[in-house]
Amino acid sequence: MAPVPGSGLAKGLAVTLRTMTRKSVTAQYPDTQPALPPRSRGVIGLFEENCTVCMLCARECPDWCIYIDSHKETVPPAAPGGRERSRNVLDRFAIDFSLCMYCGICIEVCPFDALFWSPEFEYAETDIRDLTHERDKLREWMWTVPAPPALDPGAEEPKEIAAARKAAEKLAAAQAEPRTDAQEGQS
């Protein structure tokens, strides 16, 4: 059967009229905050205490938007007769968010959990040079990072926690066990 001339136009106008009669739903952004998912990507926060200046994040960043400066510091020996150690000290950690493409590679490759996603997205600037956030600004974003989701209650306990619990129980059992006179004489 051949299509009736103008039927496509009539269908299009019908869709337009149906849409025009519905009330539009517009969220007035500054007044009404959007409901974001709990683990949404906003800005990257730095947990400076965990950063060992390994530079993995800067090397793996496809945009080269992470800038890290550090120096070596000599640490005295922990015990007498030990040797001195050297460690890296973080001088500068900055992320240029005007270059960042929010891929999350830096967060994924960090072996020490020093970088996290924060859901904060309101950090617009009038000058593009102000989008380079230094470590003090990145540290401020850490307070907005949500806690990780709870573990599945049916999952088995992590092996690290199980080993620590077993060692603690063994130590508590050894301390609670009464010592005999023969054992006290041997010690």
Side-chain angles (χ1 to χ4, degrees):
M1 182 158 104
V4 178
S7 64
L9 179 64
K11 286 180 185 177
L13 286 174
V15 170
T16 304
L17 288 173
R18 257 193 320 245
T19 308
M20 285 177 53
T21 58
R22 290 188 193 141
K23 182 177 170 139
S24 63
V25 180
T26 304
Q28 300 298 325
Y29 165 64
D31 301 328
T32 307
Q33 292 293 323
L36 297 173
R39 303 296 289 176
S40 61
R41 294 181 177 188
V43 71
I44 298 170
L46 171 69
F47 189 54
E48 195 174 333
E49 290 76 19
N50 285 358
C51 184
T52 61
V53 196
C54 67
M55 306 283 236
L56 274 174
C57 54
R59 279 184 280 179
E60 295 295 326
C61 179
D63 292 334
W64 293 82
C65 65
I66 299 175
Y67 310 108
I68 300 174
D69 292 330
S70 67
H71 69 275
K72 292 218 180 260
E73 188 177 85
T74 305
V75 179
R83 67 182 185 125
E84 292 181 337
R85 307 264 180 193
S86 66
R87 68 179 183 108
N88 288 328
V89 177
L90 185 65
D91 292 330
R92 179 180 187 223
F93 193 105
I95 299 176
D96 188 352
F97 286 105
S98 65
L99 295 175
C100 182
M101 64 181 183
Y102 304 92
C103 63
I105 293 174
C106 57
I107 295 170
E108 295 297 323
V109 301
C110 183
F112 302 104
D113 290 335
L115 297 172
F116 295 91
W117 281 118
S118 168
E120 294 295 318
F121 61 92
E122 295 174 327
Y123 54 95
E125 298 288 344
T126 56
D127 188 5
I128 197 167
R129 291 174 291 214
D130 293 336
L131 283 173
T132 300
H133 293 179
E134 297 292 331
R135 71 183 192 184
D136 55 338
K137 183 72 172 176
L138 296 172
R139 190 180 317 117
E140 287 177 26
W141 293 118
M142 261 317 286
W143 302 115
T144 62
V145 172
L151 295 176
D152 183 15
E156 64 182 51
E157 188 174 44
K159 61 183 176 189
E160 295 87 359
I161 296 175
R165 185 181 321 281
K166 188 175 181 181
E169 289 171 357
K170 193 182 283 188
L171 180 66
Q175 289 177 346
E177 184 178 297
R179 295 178 65 157
T180 62
D181 291 337
Q183 287 176 335
E184 288 180 14
Q186 291 176 355
S187 352

